[in-house]
Amino acid sequence: MSDLEATFPVGLRVKGRLAVVVGGGGLAARVTARLLAAGARVRVVAPEPAGVIAELGRKGLLEVLDRDYRPGNLDGAALVLACSDRGEVNANAAADAERRKIWSAGPEPGHAAAALPEPGV
């Protein structure tokens, strides 16, 4: 059985819960928008975040940590979405989440975040 076949799609109620998004690119922006629309509190960890993520952070709509990922960035999280364009960063975030018993997903094969549709779909 492949990793993708070993997954189970779920709908998580994230309203009021902290979701950590690791990465600051297009996938991270789409995931962040979906989390905010669902009422989650969002923390984005990305060196030099730009675009919509930086703008939402400036408006105080989410927390932005302008730095490389560190395990402590997951403190208080109920969900971790590894959306970096660097596979090793995603793997580290997923492993840290697993050790802490935090739900996680990411863009690697078998992770649900890769299947998230564009907002409004």
Side-chain angles (χ1 to χ4, degrees):
M1 180 181 300
S2 75
D3 283 346
L4 187 56
E5 294 168 325
T7 64
F8 185 81
V10 297
L12 299 175
R13 290 188 176 103
V14 296
K15 185 175 183 177
R17 296 177 188 224
L18 178 62
V20 176
V21 177
V22 178
L27 177 59
R30 289 191 303 277
V31 167
T32 297
R34 299 273 312 266
L35 288 166
L36 290 171
R41 294 180 297 117
V42 179
R43 174 185 299 148
V44 176
V45 182
E48 301 179 24
V52 70
I53 291 174
E55 181 180 333
L56 291 169
R58 281 191 297 274
K59 291 180 178 179
L61 298 175
L62 54 87
E63 178 185 5
V64 177
L65 301 180
D66 183 354
R67 63 178 180 226
D68 288 329
Y69 168 77
R70 300 175 193 157
N73 299 148
L74 305 186
D75 291 352
L79 175 65
V80 177
L81 293 161
C83 299
S84 172
D85 58 0
R86 296 173 37 211
E88 69 277 6
V89 172
N90 292 333
N92 290 338
D96 292 337
E98 186 171 340
R99 276 191 289 281
R100 292 171 175 235
K101 308 286 191 239
I102 301 170
W103 286 92
S104 68
E108 310 308 324
H111 287 88
L116 286 174
E118 297 287 335
V121 174

XYZ file of all heavy atoms in Angstrom:
862
model
N 0.853 -1.181 0.000
C 0.000 0.000 0.000
C 0.895 1.239 0.000
O 1.814 1.349 0.782
C -0.889 -0.039 1.250
C -1.812 1.125 1.347
S -2.890 1.145 2.825
C -3.799 -0.369 2.647
N 0.613 2.187 -0.877
C 1.389 3.426 -0.937
C 0.981 4.345 0.211
O -0.056 4.159 0.840
C 1.153 4.146 -2.267
O -0.116 4.759 -2.279
N 1.831 5.359 0.470
C 1.498 6.339 1.510
C 0.173 7.022 1.220
O -0.606 7.294 2.123
C 2.598 7.391 1.634
C 3.812 6.886 2.387
O 3.727 5.836 3.046
O 4.852 7.555 2.301
N -0.085 7.322 -0.070
C -1.324 8.003 -0.433
C -2.521 7.118 -0.118
O -3.542 7.589 0.389
C -1.311 8.398 -1.906
C -2.464 9.269 -2.384
C -2.551 10.541 -1.548
C -2.291 9.629 -3.834
N -2.416 5.819 -0.393
C -3.512 4.907 -0.095
C -3.707 4.723 1.408
O -4.776 4.353 1.853
C -3.244 3.544 -0.747
C -3.267 3.603 -2.265
C -2.724 2.329 -2.887
O -1.802 1.728 -2.326
O -3.237 1.961 -3.963
N -2.661 4.986 2.190
C -2.725 4.797 3.635
C -3.288 6.014 4.361
O -3.339 6.021 5.574
C -1.328 4.470 4.182
N -3.720 7.029 3.637
C -4.272 8.219 4.286
C -5.789 8.121 4.346
O -6.417 7.344 3.633
C -3.878 9.506 3.536
O -4.447 9.480 2.230
C -2.376 9.657 3.463
N -6.361 8.937 5.208
C -7.800 8.986 5.370
C -8.216 10.443 5.419
O -7.792 11.178 6.304
C -8.203 8.284 6.674
C -9.683 8.180 6.860
C -10.397 7.174 6.224
C -10.361 9.084 7.650
C -11.768 7.076 6.381
C -11.731 8.999 7.816
C -12.433 7.986 7.181
N -9.005 10.895 4.432
C -9.404 12.302 4.422
C -10.377 12.592 5.562
O -11.275 11.804 5.839
C -10.091 12.479 3.062
C -10.541 11.107 2.691
C -9.571 10.140 3.324
N -10.164 13.713 6.224
C -11.032 14.114 7.333
C -11.320 15.600 7.241
O -10.581 16.355 6.611
C -10.394 13.819 8.716
C -10.189 12.340 8.912
C -9.106 14.565 8.907
N -12.364 16.008 7.880
C -12.667 17.423 8.037
C -12.452 17.774 9.502
O -13.124 17.221 10.367
N -11.502 18.625 9.765
C -11.194 18.998 11.145
C -11.864 20.325 11.491
O -11.815 21.272 10.705
C -9.685 19.138 11.331
C -8.848 17.891 11.082
C -7.362 18.222 11.188
C -9.218 16.808 12.068
N -12.443 20.399 12.667
C -12.995 21.661 13.156
C -11.840 22.428 13.791
O -11.321 22.026 14.822
C -14.103 21.402 14.162
C -15.335 20.838 13.511
C -16.493 20.765 14.489
N -17.678 20.311 13.803
C -18.159 19.076 13.899
N -17.579 18.196 14.677
N -19.232 18.740 13.244
N -11.438 23.509 13.155
C -10.264 24.255 13.612
C -10.612 25.601 14.235
O -9.711 26.319 14.678
C -9.248 24.452 12.457
C -8.698 23.117 11.987
C -9.874 25.233 11.314
N -11.884 25.933 14.306
C -12.277 27.232 14.835
C -11.691 27.440 16.223
O -11.874 26.618 17.125
C -13.795 27.361 14.889
C -14.252 28.742 15.314
C -15.748 28.881 15.232
C -16.141 30.307 15.588
N -17.572 30.514 15.446
N -10.957 28.537 16.380
C -10.362 28.894 17.653
C -9.088 28.142 18.004
O -8.463 28.437 19.013
N -8.694 27.192 17.193
C -7.490 26.402 17.470
C -6.314 26.952 16.676
O -6.490 27.549 15.617
C -7.712 24.947 17.101
C -8.790 24.322 17.952
C -9.051 22.900 17.541
N -10.218 22.430 18.263
C -10.308 21.259 18.834
N -9.300 20.417 18.763
N -11.402 20.907 19.462
N -5.115 26.723 17.211
C -3.914 27.201 16.542
C -3.450 26.209 15.485
O -3.223 25.032 15.779
C -2.785 27.431 17.549
C -1.450 27.886 16.952
C -1.594 29.235 16.239
C -0.395 27.959 18.042
N -3.316 26.698 14.273
C -2.757 25.926 13.168
C -1.455 26.598 12.761
O -1.413 27.816 12.563
C -3.722 25.891 11.990
N -0.400 25.805 12.636
C 0.897 26.324 12.217
C 1.127 25.932 10.769
O 1.046 24.754 10.410
C 2.042 25.786 13.106
C 3.393 26.262 12.584
C 1.840 26.231 14.549
N 1.410 26.923 9.935
C 1.737 26.700 8.535
C 3.226 26.961 8.377
O 3.696 28.062 8.674
C 0.919 27.629 7.608
C 1.318 27.437 6.147
C -0.579 27.393 7.806
N 3.953 25.952 7.924
C 5.390 26.081 7.717
C 5.617 26.311 6.225
O 5.295 25.457 5.401
C 6.136 24.814 8.198
C 7.628 24.949 7.939
C 5.867 24.572 9.681
N 6.133 27.490 5.884
C 6.353 27.855 4.481
C 5.599 29.123 4.157
O 4.628 29.479 4.844
N 6.052 29.802 3.109
C 5.436 31.085 2.779
C 5.088 31.265 1.321
O 4.828 32.370 0.885
N 5.045 30.178 0.549
C 4.755 30.271 -0.881
C 3.270 30.171 -1.194
O 2.404 30.403 -0.337
N 2.985 29.800 -2.433
C 1.604 29.737 -2.909
C 0.739 28.742 -2.171
O -0.408 29.040 -1.825
N 1.263 27.535 -1.928
C 0.487 26.541 -1.189
C 0.201 27.040 0.214
O -0.922 26.937 0.701
C 1.223 25.198 -1.147
C 0.529 24.099 -0.342
C -0.868 23.800 -0.878
C 1.389 22.835 -0.335
N 1.195 27.615 0.866
C 1.006 28.154 2.216
C -0.060 29.240 2.215
O -0.890 29.301 3.129
C 2.326 28.685 2.772
N -0.062 30.098 1.218
C -1.062 31.164 1.138
C -2.465 30.586 0.982
O -3.411 31.053 1.635
C -0.737 32.110 -0.016
N -2.620 29.560 0.138
C -3.939 28.940 -0.049
C -4.413 28.267 1.239
O -5.569 28.406 1.640
C -3.904 27.932 -1.199
C -3.773 28.583 -2.560
C -4.009 27.606 -3.689
N -3.132 26.446 -3.676
C -1.908 26.407 -4.172
N -1.376 27.489 -4.720
N -1.197 25.293 -4.143
N -3.508 27.530 1.884
C -3.853 26.841 3.131
C -4.213 27.854 4.215
O -5.193 27.686 4.938
C -2.681 25.934 3.572
C -2.846 25.450 4.990
C -2.542 24.762 2.611
N -3.431 28.919 4.310
C -3.681 29.964 5.302
C -5.060 30.582 5.095
O -5.812 30.778 6.054
C -2.576 31.034 5.237
O -1.330 30.418 5.587
C -2.853 32.188 6.164
N -5.410 30.868 3.855
C -6.727 31.447 3.559
C -7.844 30.515 4.005
O -8.842 30.958 4.595
C -6.851 31.754 2.070
N -7.693 29.228 3.761
C -8.710 28.250 4.150
C -8.818 28.155 5.677
O -9.905 28.044 6.228
C -8.388 26.869 3.572
C -8.324 26.785 2.056
C -9.657 26.527 1.370
N -10.449 25.461 1.904
C -10.467 24.199 1.477
N -9.681 23.830 0.489
N -11.269 23.304 2.022
N -7.673 28.168 6.343
C -7.676 28.089 7.808
C -8.358 29.309 8.414
O -9.170 29.187 9.346
C -6.246 27.959 8.336
C -5.566 26.618 8.091
C -4.063 26.727 8.351
C -6.195 25.530 8.952
N -8.025 30.491 7.920
C -8.643 31.713 8.433
C -10.146 31.702 8.186
O -10.929 32.089 9.063
C -7.996 32.942 7.809
C -6.562 33.240 8.256
C -5.959 34.357 7.411
C -6.497 33.580 9.741
N -10.562 31.245 7.004
C -11.990 31.176 6.689
C -12.720 30.207 7.622
O -13.899 30.395 7.917
C -12.186 30.763 5.232
N -12.010 29.191 8.108
C -12.596 28.205 9.020
C -12.519 28.658 10.483
O -12.957 27.938 11.374
C -11.893 26.861 8.855
N -11.950 29.837 10.722
C -11.910 30.387 12.068
C -10.708 29.989 12.905
O -10.691 30.220 14.111
N -9.700 29.394 12.280
C -8.499 29.000 13.018
C -7.654 30.223 13.357
O -7.702 31.242 12.667
C -7.656 28.025 12.189
N -6.888 30.100 14.434
C -5.814 31.049 14.700
C -4.616 30.503 13.932
O -4.352 29.303 13.977
C -5.498 31.110 16.204
C -6.637 31.685 17.023
C -6.322 31.752 18.507
N -6.103 30.428 19.082
C -4.946 30.012 19.635
N -3.898 30.814 19.703
N -4.838 28.799 20.125
N -3.928 31.341 13.204
C -2.870 30.862 12.305
C -1.536 31.501 12.631
O -1.447 32.721 12.820
C -3.232 31.146 10.825
C -2.125 30.670 9.893
C -4.557 30.481 10.460
N -0.520 30.642 12.676
C 0.877 31.073 12.808
C 1.601 30.565 11.565
O 1.577 29.378 11.271
C 1.506 30.465 14.054
C 2.997 30.742 14.208
C 3.583 30.007 15.416
N 2.922 30.472 16.640
C 2.725 29.697 17.708
N 3.125 28.444 17.736
N 2.106 30.188 18.779
N 2.229 31.474 10.828
C 3.014 31.099 9.645
C 4.484 31.275 9.978
O 4.890 32.323 10.489
C 2.635 31.958 8.417
C 3.527 31.619 7.223
C 1.168 31.755 8.059
N 5.269 30.245 9.663
C 6.712 30.282 9.885
C 7.388 30.216 8.524
O 7.261 29.218 7.808
C 7.189 29.085 10.740
C 8.684 29.198 10.996
C 6.409 28.995 12.032
N 8.064 31.294 8.152
C 8.741 31.332 6.856
C 9.753 32.463 6.845
O 9.436 33.564 7.279
C 7.734 31.554 5.724
N 10.961 32.180 6.360
C 11.919 33.283 6.226
C 11.455 34.217 5.103
O 11.067 33.767 4.033
C 13.235 32.593 5.881
C 12.858 31.239 5.379
C 11.519 30.899 5.967
N 11.413 35.479 5.390
C 11.033 36.503 4.424
C 9.689 36.245 3.745
O 9.597 36.197 2.518
C 12.136 36.662 3.367
C 13.475 37.040 3.962
C 14.566 37.183 2.926
O 14.253 37.429 1.749
O 15.735 37.058 3.308
N 8.618 36.087 4.530
C 7.306 35.886 3.906
C 6.906 37.127 3.116
O 7.234 38.245 3.497
C 6.376 35.656 5.095
C 7.065 36.310 6.232
C 8.535 36.199 5.971
N 6.224 36.904 2.033
C 5.830 38.023 1.170
C 4.367 37.855 0.779
O 3.690 36.940 1.229
C 6.720 38.060 -0.068
N 3.913 38.735 -0.064
C 2.575 38.628 -0.626
C 1.484 38.675 0.407
O 1.540 39.414 1.392
N 0.483 37.842 0.190
C -0.717 37.863 1.025
C -0.406 37.488 2.470
O -1.017 38.033 3.392
C -1.822 36.963 0.420
C -1.463 35.497 0.518
C -3.165 37.250 1.065
N 0.554 36.592 2.697
C 0.883 36.197 4.068
C 1.444 37.393 4.837
O 1.027 37.677 5.957
C 1.848 35.001 4.081
C 1.109 33.745 3.583
C 2.432 34.780 5.476
C 1.972 32.537 3.409
N 2.375 38.102 4.245
C 2.947 39.280 4.899
C 1.872 40.335 5.148
O 1.826 40.956 6.219
C 4.085 39.847 4.064
N 0.990 40.527 4.181
C -0.079 41.527 4.311
C -1.035 41.164 5.447
O -1.394 42.015 6.272
C -0.859 41.632 2.998
C -1.962 42.660 3.019
C -2.705 42.735 1.698
O -2.111 42.420 0.643
O -3.881 43.113 1.744
N -1.432 39.895 5.517
C -2.328 39.460 6.595
C -1.655 39.589 7.962
O -2.302 39.938 8.945
C -2.776 38.015 6.354
C -3.710 37.808 5.161
C -3.870 36.315 4.873
C -5.052 38.471 5.393
N -0.358 39.331 8.008
C 0.385 39.513 9.252
C 0.422 40.966 9.680
O 0.230 41.282 10.862
N 0.667 41.874 8.723
C 0.687 43.312 9.032
C -0.662 43.782 9.554
O -0.742 44.680 10.389
C 1.086 44.123 7.795
C 2.570 44.125 7.507
C 2.949 45.144 6.457
N 2.344 44.882 5.164
C 2.852 44.075 4.220
N 3.979 43.450 4.439
N 2.236 43.911 3.076
N -1.738 43.172 9.065
C -3.087 43.542 9.509
C -3.458 42.888 10.836
O -4.538 43.129 11.366
C -4.116 43.135 8.447
C -4.027 43.954 7.183
C -5.069 43.503 6.181
C -5.019 44.353 4.932
N -6.027 43.902 3.930
N -2.581 42.031 11.361
C -2.852 41.367 12.627
C -3.821 40.202 12.531
O -4.352 39.747 13.543
N -4.051 39.693 11.323
C -4.995 38.599 11.134
C -4.358 37.227 11.357
O -5.071 36.224 11.456
C -5.613 38.673 9.738
C -6.419 39.952 9.488
C -6.885 40.017 8.052
C -7.596 40.012 10.449
N -3.048 37.195 11.413
C -2.319 35.969 11.719
C -0.964 36.341 12.282
O -0.524 37.481 12.175
C -2.169 35.064 10.487
C -1.551 35.633 9.211
C -0.042 35.521 9.229
C -2.099 34.865 8.029
N -0.329 35.374 12.914
C 1.010 35.569 13.468
C 2.023 35.111 12.428
O 1.899 34.014 11.888
C 1.156 34.732 14.743
C 2.519 34.803 15.377
C 2.654 33.856 16.567
O 1.725 33.077 16.845
O 3.715 33.904 17.204
N 2.999 35.939 12.139
C 4.045 35.579 11.191
C 5.381 35.556 11.924
O 5.760 36.548 12.560
C 4.122 36.577 10.007
C 5.272 36.223 9.085
C 2.813 36.602 9.240
N 6.069 34.424 11.843
C 7.419 34.301 12.375
C 8.358 34.321 11.187
O 8.432 33.356 10.429
C 7.574 33.009 13.177
C 6.630 32.843 14.362
C 6.887 31.516 15.064
C 6.751 34.003 15.336
N 9.030 35.437 11.002
C 9.919 35.661 9.861
C 11.278 35.026 10.160
O 12.219 35.705 10.571
C 10.046 37.167 9.618
C 10.882 37.510 8.410
O 11.474 36.612 7.791
O 10.958 38.708 8.069
N 11.339 33.695 9.986
C 12.565 32.956 10.273
C 12.424 31.528 9.764
O 11.341 31.088 9.375
C 12.847 32.950 11.761
C 11.784 32.243 12.589
C 12.161 32.225 14.057
N 11.168 31.565 14.858
C 10.698 32.034 15.991
N 11.111 33.199 16.447
N 9.819 31.365 16.688
N 13.532 30.799 9.816
C 13.503 29.379 9.484
C 12.715 28.628 10.548
O 12.646 29.048 11.712
C 14.924 28.806 9.406
C 15.675 29.289 8.168
O 15.023 29.537 7.135
O 16.908 29.402 8.239
N 12.156 27.501 10.161
C 11.384 26.665 11.072
C 12.242 26.144 12.223
O 13.401 25.771 12.039
C 10.783 25.479 10.301
C 10.224 24.433 11.223
C 9.009 24.634 11.853
C 10.949 23.283 11.510
C 8.512 23.698 12.749
C 10.459 22.336 12.399
C 9.246 22.550 13.015
O 8.772 21.629 13.903
N 11.644 26.135 13.419
C 12.247 25.561 14.624
C 11.176 24.730 15.316
O 9.987 25.102 15.285
C 12.700 26.661 15.587
C 13.719 27.604 15.008
C 13.989 28.724 16.003
N 14.730 29.786 15.338
C 14.756 31.028 15.743
N 14.081 31.398 16.815
N 15.467 31.932 15.099
N 11.546 23.632 15.996
C 10.540 22.799 16.650
C 9.635 23.570 17.618
O 8.434 23.277 17.707
C 11.369 21.746 17.395
C 12.638 21.644 16.602
C 12.888 23.047 16.102
N 10.168 24.562 18.318
C 9.367 25.340 19.256
C 8.246 26.127 18.599
O 7.323 26.584 19.287
N 8.297 26.283 17.273
C 7.230 27.000 16.568
C 5.895 26.272 16.649
O 4.852 26.858 16.372
C 7.588 27.206 15.093
C 8.826 28.029 14.879
O 9.564 27.816 13.915
N 9.114 28.969 15.764
N 5.932 25.001 17.062
C 4.707 24.210 17.161
C 4.029 24.310 18.518
O 2.952 23.755 18.711
C 5.012 22.730 16.862
C 5.692 22.419 15.532
C 5.785 20.913 15.333
C 4.997 23.086 14.365
N 4.637 25.038 19.447
C 4.065 25.160 20.793
C 2.619 25.639 20.720
O 2.314 26.659 20.093
C 4.881 26.131 21.653
C 6.255 25.596 22.020
O 6.531 24.402 21.749
O 7.052 26.371 22.583
N 1.726 24.885 21.336
C 0.316 25.249 21.395
C -0.506 24.859 20.181
O -1.714 25.102 20.147
N 0.106 24.253 19.172
C -0.598 23.944 17.925
C -1.506 22.723 18.048
O -1.194 21.757 18.738
C 0.398 23.715 16.797
N -2.632 22.783 17.351
C -3.534 21.644 17.209
C -3.340 20.983 15.844
O -3.705 19.830 15.651
C -4.976 22.108 17.352
N -2.760 21.728 14.894
C -2.594 21.256 13.522
C -1.348 21.895 12.938
O -1.090 23.077 13.166
C -3.830 21.655 12.687
C -3.807 21.358 11.196
C -3.769 19.853 10.945
C -5.018 21.979 10.519
N -0.593 21.113 12.174
C 0.596 21.614 11.481
C 0.450 21.291 10.006
O 0.159 20.147 9.640
C 1.888 20.955 12.027
C 3.100 21.430 11.234
C 2.053 21.242 13.501
N 0.639 22.294 9.166
C 0.623 22.092 7.717
C 1.990 22.472 7.173
O 2.383 23.643 7.202
C -0.492 22.919 7.081
C -1.871 22.415 7.506
C -2.922 23.454 7.275
C -2.202 21.129 6.797
N 2.725 21.464 6.708
C 4.077 21.649 6.196
C 3.982 21.994 4.716
O 3.747 21.120 3.884
C 4.899 20.380 6.418
N 4.156 23.262 4.392
C 3.947 23.765 3.029
C 5.183 24.421 2.444
O 5.086 25.204 1.497
C 2.799 24.771 3.025
S 1.227 24.084 3.571
N 6.334 24.139 2.994
C 7.576 24.722 2.490
C 7.912 24.123 1.131
O 7.508 23.006 0.810
C 8.710 24.426 3.488
O 9.955 24.806 2.946
N 8.676 24.863 0.340
C 9.159 24.298 -0.924
C 10.437 23.487 -0.701
O 11.025 22.992 -1.652
C 9.361 25.387 -1.975
C 10.330 26.467 -1.538
O 10.868 26.384 -0.414
O 10.537 27.412 -2.318
N 10.845 23.340 0.555
C 12.028 22.553 0.916
C 11.583 21.281 1.632
O 11.054 21.335 2.737
C 12.972 23.387 1.776
C 13.524 24.593 0.997
C 14.342 25.561 1.821
N 15.159 24.954 2.829
C 15.455 25.561 3.980
N 14.992 26.759 4.253
N 16.223 24.958 4.882
N 11.795 20.147 0.981
C 11.348 18.867 1.506
C 11.867 18.544 2.891
O 11.142 17.992 3.723
N 13.128 18.913 3.161
C 13.694 18.596 4.474
C 13.018 19.404 5.578
O 12.847 18.916 6.695
C 15.218 18.797 4.504
C 15.696 20.225 4.410
C 15.791 20.808 2.999
O 15.382 20.144 2.025
O 16.271 21.948 2.869
N 12.586 20.608 5.269
C 11.865 21.423 6.254
C 10.510 20.779 6.542
O 10.101 20.643 7.701
C 11.701 22.877 5.768
C 10.788 23.676 6.693
C 13.060 23.546 5.642
N 9.817 20.358 5.502
C 8.527 19.696 5.677
C 8.680 18.414 6.494
O 7.879 18.137 7.383
C 7.894 19.379 4.324
C 7.480 20.623 3.581
O 7.188 21.643 4.185
N 7.471 20.551 2.275
N 9.717 17.637 6.182
C 9.946 16.379 6.899
C 10.222 16.644 8.376
O 9.704 15.929 9.251
C 11.098 15.608 6.256
N 11.015 17.658 8.670
C 11.310 17.999 10.068
C 10.050 18.450 10.806
O 9.812 18.032 11.947
C 12.385 19.080 10.151
C 13.749 18.579 9.744
O 14.023 17.379 9.771
N 14.614 19.490 9.351
N 9.256 19.297 10.167
C 8.029 19.774 10.807
C 7.063 18.613 11.052
O 6.464 18.517 12.130
C 7.366 20.855 9.956
N 6.926 17.726 10.081
C 6.033 16.573 10.233
C 6.515 15.650 11.345
O 5.720 15.156 12.150
C 5.919 15.816 8.915
N 7.824 15.409 11.410
C 8.384 14.546 12.455
C 8.197 15.170 13.837
O 7.843 14.476 14.804
C 9.862 14.276 12.180
N 8.415 16.487 13.932
C 8.217 17.176 15.214
C 6.750 17.107 15.635
O 6.442 16.889 16.805
C 8.679 18.626 15.128
C 10.182 18.767 14.966
O 10.922 17.829 15.346
O 10.616 19.823 14.449
N 5.837 17.294 14.671
C 4.409 17.213 14.978
C 4.044 15.805 15.447
O 3.305 15.643 16.423
C 3.589 17.596 13.750
N 4.576 14.801 14.786
C 4.269 13.419 15.180
C 4.757 13.139 16.599
O 4.036 12.532 17.397
C 4.895 12.441 14.199
C 4.499 11.008 14.476
C 4.928 10.046 13.395
O 5.202 10.475 12.262
O 4.984 8.848 13.700
N 5.962 13.580 16.920
C 6.501 13.377 18.273
C 5.614 14.036 19.332
O 5.479 13.544 20.437
C 7.921 13.936 18.384
C 8.995 12.986 17.904
C 10.383 13.469 18.265
N 10.828 14.621 17.510
C 11.293 14.574 16.270
N 11.376 13.434 15.624
N 11.688 15.676 15.661
N 5.018 15.182 18.966
C 4.172 15.925 19.906
C 2.707 15.496 19.843
O 1.858 16.074 20.513
C 4.262 17.420 19.608
C 5.617 18.014 19.899
C 5.659 19.442 19.360
N 6.877 20.121 19.697
C 6.928 21.285 20.325
N 5.811 21.893 20.695
N 8.073 21.853 20.591
N 2.410 14.535 18.988
C 1.028 14.043 18.822
C 0.100 15.138 18.309
O -1.035 15.291 18.767
C 0.478 13.462 20.132
C 1.368 12.429 20.770
C 1.302 11.137 20.016
C 1.978 10.033 20.797
N 3.077 9.405 20.130
N 0.606 15.923 17.343
C -0.179 16.986 16.702
C -0.527 16.515 15.296
O 0.331 16.019 14.563
C 0.642 18.298 16.611
C 1.073 18.771 18.001
C -0.167 19.387 15.897
C 2.082 19.912 17.967
N -1.775 16.677 14.900
C -2.176 16.343 13.531
C -1.328 17.163 12.561
O -1.081 18.348 12.791
C -3.643 16.708 13.301
C -4.614 15.790 13.965
C -5.137 15.944 15.203
C -5.167 14.592 13.442
N -5.993 14.905 15.481
C -6.035 14.064 14.414
C -5.018 13.917 12.227
C -6.747 12.889 14.219
C -5.733 12.742 12.034
C -6.573 12.239 13.012
N -0.916 16.528 11.458
C -0.132 17.265 10.464
C -0.433 16.749 9.069
O -0.900 15.622 8.881
C 1.366 17.148 10.755
O 1.819 15.828 10.540
N -0.140 17.601 8.107
C -0.273 17.263 6.690
C 0.742 18.098 5.942
O 1.230 19.111 6.445
C -1.690 17.556 6.193
N 1.050 17.696 4.718
C 2.012 18.436 3.919
C 1.941 18.068 2.456
O 1.165 17.209 2.065
N 2.762 18.704 1.638
C 2.682 18.517 0.195
C 3.382 17.272 -0.334
O 3.318 16.993 -1.518
C 3.354 19.778 -0.360
C 4.350 20.124 0.687
C 3.687 19.755 1.997
N 4.038 16.515 0.510
C 4.717 15.301 0.047
C 3.659 14.253 -0.296
O 2.532 14.327 0.179
C 5.662 14.768 1.126
C 6.610 15.793 1.706
C 7.419 16.566 0.681
O 7.819 16.000 -0.342
O 7.647 17.759 0.901
N 3.991 13.263 -1.109
C 3.007 12.226 -1.435
C 2.412 11.630 -0.161
O 3.124 11.330 0.791
C 3.836 11.183 -2.193
C 4.963 11.971 -2.782
C 5.266 13.047 -1.755
N 1.091 11.516 -0.169
C 0.410 10.938 0.975
C -0.036 11.939 2.017
O -0.619 11.566 3.010
N 0.215 13.218 1.797
C -0.201 14.228 2.758
C -1.341 15.039 2.165
O -1.294 15.453 1.021
C 0.965 15.152 3.131
C 1.965 14.478 4.005
N 3.009 13.769 3.504
C 2.055 14.395 5.344
C 3.718 13.286 4.499
N 3.161 13.645 5.629
N -2.333 15.315 2.984
C -3.575 15.926 2.519
C -3.420 17.344 2.004
O -4.183 17.766 1.167
C -4.611 15.907 3.637
N -2.449 18.106 2.482
C -2.362 19.519 2.078
C -2.171 19.667 0.577
O -2.593 20.645 -0.010
C -1.228 20.219 2.820
N -1.549 18.699 -0.065
C -1.326 18.774 -1.501
C -2.642 18.738 -2.262
O -2.725 19.214 -3.378
C -0.424 17.634 -1.957
N -3.670 18.161 -1.650
C -4.954 18.015 -2.332
C -5.910 19.166 -2.067
O -7.008 19.165 -2.585
C -5.607 16.695 -1.906
N -5.500 20.145 -1.282
C -6.389 21.260 -0.996
C -6.686 22.043 -2.274
O -5.776 22.437 -2.991
C -5.784 22.212 0.037
C -5.766 21.709 1.470
C -5.003 22.684 2.340
C -7.167 21.508 2.008
N -7.946 22.247 -2.591
C -8.280 23.017 -3.790
C -8.040 24.501 -3.592
O -7.844 24.969 -2.474
C -9.771 22.731 -3.972
C -10.259 22.442 -2.598
C -9.116 21.779 -1.867
N -8.049 25.211 -4.691
C -7.961 26.667 -4.633
C -9.164 27.182 -3.850
O -10.234 26.577 -3.857
C -8.010 27.260 -6.052
C -6.847 26.856 -6.928
C -5.568 27.543 -6.537
O -5.628 28.631 -5.949
O -4.506 26.988 -6.809
N -9.017 28.320 -3.137
C -10.162 28.890 -2.407
C -11.336 29.112 -3.353
O -11.167 29.480 -4.508
C -9.614 30.222 -1.885
C -8.139 30.031 -1.827
C -7.817 29.097 -2.968
N -12.525 28.848 -2.848
C -13.743 29.049 -3.631
C -14.127 27.861 -4.477
O -15.133 27.866 -5.147
N -13.322 26.793 -4.441
C -13.634 25.606 -5.251
C -14.451 24.647 -4.431
O -14.258 24.463 -3.285
C -12.335 24.920 -5.740
C -12.636 23.618 -6.437
C -11.580 25.843 -6.650
